[in-house]
Amino acid sequence: MYTDMTRGSTLGSSGNTPSKAPRNLAGNEGRRASLAWAPLISIAAAAFAVEIPFFFYGTPSGHDVEFHLYSWLEVLSQWKLGIVYPRWAALAHFAYGEPRFIFYPPASWTLGAALSAIFPWTLVASIYIWLVLAAAGVSMFLLARQWVDRRDATFAAALYAVNPYHLVIVYWRSAFAELLASSLLPLLLLLLLRTDEKGRRVTVLLALLLAGAWLINVPAAVMIHYSLAFLMMVIAWQRRSPRVLLVGTIAVVLGAALAALYLLPAVYEQKWVNIAEAVSAGSRPQDSFLFIHTTDAEHDAFNRVISWIAVGEILMTFAAAWAARNWGSRNRVLWFSLVAWAAACAVLMLSITGPLWNILPKLQFMQFPWRWMLCLGIPFTLLIVLGVRRWIVRIGIYLLLLGVLAFGWKHFQPPWWDNAADLREMQDNMATGAGYEGVDEYTPVAADPSSVDKDARRVTVDGPAHAAIHVSQWNPEFKLFTAEMSAPDNLALRLFNYPAWRVEVNGQPAQAGTREGTGQMLVPVGTGANRVQITFIRTWDRTAGAWISLVALVLALMLWKLSSSATRERSMGSLRG
């Protein structure tokens, strides 16, 4: 390990000059404080540098930007109504709704909504990006600091925060949840390498990390779990220690249990939505291997951008690994783990691995093979720091990759941008109730958003009867209205039917129907006065998931306490010895 110069500093003392000690102490404390803040300032500055183009072009409007920004506004609006954990996105599909928040993990939209409540809306996306990039940098600093000095660890942190794939996410993809998940990957490797040191404590920390992955982004969680399995085998083989496999397996189970409040409903209720649309044409792995060609010119243009960046990053990673081979001979477990991880990530981006994407469980739901660049960022960063000692060469490598990115920007597909007026239009669509486009895979079964009337009233008569309708409440999870009917008929709602909706007519349960062709909810009512109440109920899977998470949390706390007690006993034993 490289030495940290601040750790070796000592205070001089002299009995004849007592006044000098306080001055030296104050000076050293000041230097230590300055060194402590230097990495954070460097990381923050690197993250800010990514956003300099924002001042000239606006906010990047990548593939997923509307999905995330509308989710943040939707969650914030429901918080104001007292709905702490939203499930139904009421204004999706132009106010017909979808159960978006049952299936999309809560971490990113919770953070985005919280920032939206604090900062001006036109700045929220930029602040989110800055915070997440900084978090990724801090995470890498904690990992790199185990093997290199503070200066090199700071460089590693800044490089990881602004690595080429992160820039692709920021400028082209706007995949805010995936970007947030990048802060977990350095900690994953750090914890795995410490499985022989920390006893039960590392199991709990690893379980919390895996639970966090599920609560942030499902494709990233799939990558993290496959990376975990692969790295467990590599490290266990290198150390000849099966303990790594045991710790990792327990952590996977405990992590899934901790995230059950989200996972169980998301898994169980998939049969109620068109989840297969997540891997439809254009979003299938076979459509996004490196340099693949499809019938969609715009898709292929972006694929060329990401493919050239991937090739550049892969080549630089293995060149740095070769340069770091002498260091690796003294730190074989880490070096071999990084090289093997990088090789696995690189191979999985190639079309020759197509059969694996169909065979390995849930791997196809990653959608895009080039997403493995999220994991490749760890070997890329650490091997450059370990193998390339000259600063001019380090900077040259990064500038070369920036040149590849700029070439793709110029010749294949430039990013899209939103200005302040575009962002305010989103707010207006929410405020007026006009709504926004939903997501195909979260659309309830039998619903067809392309066939709905975007100007329809909230409640209309589906048949020939006449009615006087008065809507009292129309909240995301509760609807209340009355209908004075001239004859029995069905009422068609501006609402997609979904099994979690409970319908009561005049205080009695009623069986809602589904309008053929659109998927709207149909409520049967009789002649005369009808009081209709519709509630989005807590289904059994949501209740069970919450209880499983609570039990898992108690178990994790018990394991942590047992680990702390064992650590204190060992410490006391060594003192007595």
Side-chain angles (χ1 to χ4, degrees), residues 38-48 130 133-139 141 154 157-158 161-162:
L40 289 175
I41 293 171
S42 300
I43 295 166
F48 179 77
W130 181 82
L133 291 177
V138 171
S139 178
F141 180 83
T154 301
V162 299

Side-chain angles (χ1 to χ4, degrees), residues 535-564:
T535 309
F536 198 79
I537 62 171
R538 177 179 290 274
T539 50
W540 75 266
D541 49 284
R542 290 169 57 187
T543 302
W547 277 108
I548 293 171
S549 292
L550 180 60
V551 171
L553 180 60
V554 171
L555 178 59
L557 292 173
M558 290 173 60
L559 288 174
W560 184 270
K561 186 175 180 179
L562 288 172
S563 177
S564 300

Side-chain angles (χ1 to χ4, degrees), residues 156-197:
L159 176 61
Y160 180 66
V162 299
N163 78 71
Y165 184 61
H166 285 181
L167 300 184
V168 171
I169 293 178
V170 169
Y171 291 117
W172 278 274
R173 299 200 57 232
S174 300
F176 293 137
E178 185 178 340
L179 191 62
L180 179 59
S182 67
S183 62
L184 299 180
L185 286 162
L187 301 179
L188 174 72
L189 181 58
L190 178 60
L191 290 172
L192 280 174
L193 292 168
R194 287 186 166 186
T195 49
D196 286 340
E197 302 174 13

